[in-house]
């Protein structure tokens, strides 16, 4: 299925690019979240007319992403978890938990889908987590996992 992009997407394309993607990806993600339109002649003409406006919106999002980058990059966040006898977590630290942690500590909203765990967080220690703030701006934070106070 061919679609025309309405925003810059990392590893996919730039605004106005006509790309071929799988039908499910187009319907369930790109079109659903207004990131693309079906590549018909009318839609292509419409996007070419709106390209300047779309580019200015993208620059605005990039500026916001850079501000967030300045506030969060290389920052450390501490999570306390219960441990088993083997010093492993009862669960793992998920992107939704990290998102809530950032919102509570820094009052910055990061969607769980923007959080890229390099590897699953299932033990105590320090872990680097990537934040995809924009297609061209990526920050990294450190999640430090400690035992809860009751277990110390």
């Amino acid at each position: 299925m061919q679609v025309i992009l309405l925003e810059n997407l990392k590893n996919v394309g730039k605004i106005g690019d006509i790309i071929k993607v799988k039908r499910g990806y187009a319907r369930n993600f790109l079109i659903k979240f207004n990131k693309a339109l079906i590549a018909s002649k009318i839609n292509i003409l419409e996007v070419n007319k709106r390209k300047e406006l779309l580019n200015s919106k993208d620059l605005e999002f990039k500026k916001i992403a850079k501000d967030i980058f300045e506030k969060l990059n290389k920052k450390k966040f501490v999570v306390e978890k219960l441990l088993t006898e083997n010093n492993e977590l009862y669960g793992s630290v998920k992107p939704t938990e990290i998102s809530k942690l950032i919102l509570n500590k820094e009052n910055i909203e990061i969607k769980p889908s923007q959080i890229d765990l390099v590897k699953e967080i299932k033990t105590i220690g320090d872990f680097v987590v990537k934040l995809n703030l924009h297609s061209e701006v990526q920050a990294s934070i450190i999640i430090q996992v400690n035992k809860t106070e009751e277990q110390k």
Side-chain angles (χ1 to χ4, degrees):
M1 171 179 244
Q2 285 196 325
V3 295
I4 184 165
L5 294 177
L6 298 176
E7 63 181 65
N8 293 332
L9 296 173
K10 188 177 181 181
N11 300 329
V12 179
K14 302 255 184 238
I15 294 172
D17 286 356
I18 299 171
I19 58 170
K20 190 171 185 166
V21 293
K22 292 191 176 187
R23 201 174 293 276
Y25 180 62
R27 284 197 186 124
N28 298 326
F29 179 70
L30 295 175
I31 295 170
K32 182 178 181 180
F33 294 108
N34 296 320
K35 296 181 182 296
L37 293 171
I38 295 172
S40 66
K41 287 182 182 180
I42 295 168
N43 286 344
I44 291 170
L45 291 172
E46 182 65 31
V47 169
N48 285 336
K49 286 180 192 172
R50 294 185 350 188
K51 202 171 191 175
E52 194 172 308
L53 175 68
L54 293 170
N55 279 324
S56 66
K57 280 184 181 179
D58 186 61
L59 283 174
E60 205 173 299
F61 288 135
K62 187 175 178 181
K63 184 177 180 262
I64 293 167
K66 283 184 178 180
D67 290 343
I68 293 171
F69 174 86
E70 294 297 323
K71 293 175 185 171
L72 293 181
N73 197 40
K74 303 292 183 204
K75 203 157 215 179
K76 185 180 272 192
F77 294 90
V78 179
V79 177
E80 291 190 347
K81 290 289 209 174
L82 287 171
L83 298 176
T84 64
E85 298 82 39
N86 304 340
N87 277 343
E88 292 180 356
L89 303 181
Y90 274 106
S92 60
V93 179
K94 302 281 185 197
T96 51
E97 188 175 351
I98 295 169
S99 176
K100 288 177 187 172
L101 183 68
I102 294 170
L103 184 62
N104 291 338
K105 300 278 186 199
E106 297 293 324
N107 203 22
I108 297 173
E109 190 172 342
I110 303 290
K111 295 176 188 154
S113 60
Q114 292 177 292
I115 297 172
D116 184 20
L117 299 176
V118 178
K119 66 177 188 172
E120 272 194 302
I121 302 174
K122 291 187 168 188
T123 60
I124 59 174
D126 290 355
F127 300 88
V128 176
V129 175
K130 303 261 186 236
L131 304 177
N132 297 312
L133 304 172
H134 182 271
S135 63
E136 298 173 18
V137 180
Q138 190 178 49
S140 57
I141 60 172
I142 299 166
I143 301 295
Q144 180 181 357
V145 182
N146 295 332
K147 296 178 185 178
T148 59
E149 287 298 319
E150 299 103 42
Q151 288 187 320
K152 288 183 180 176

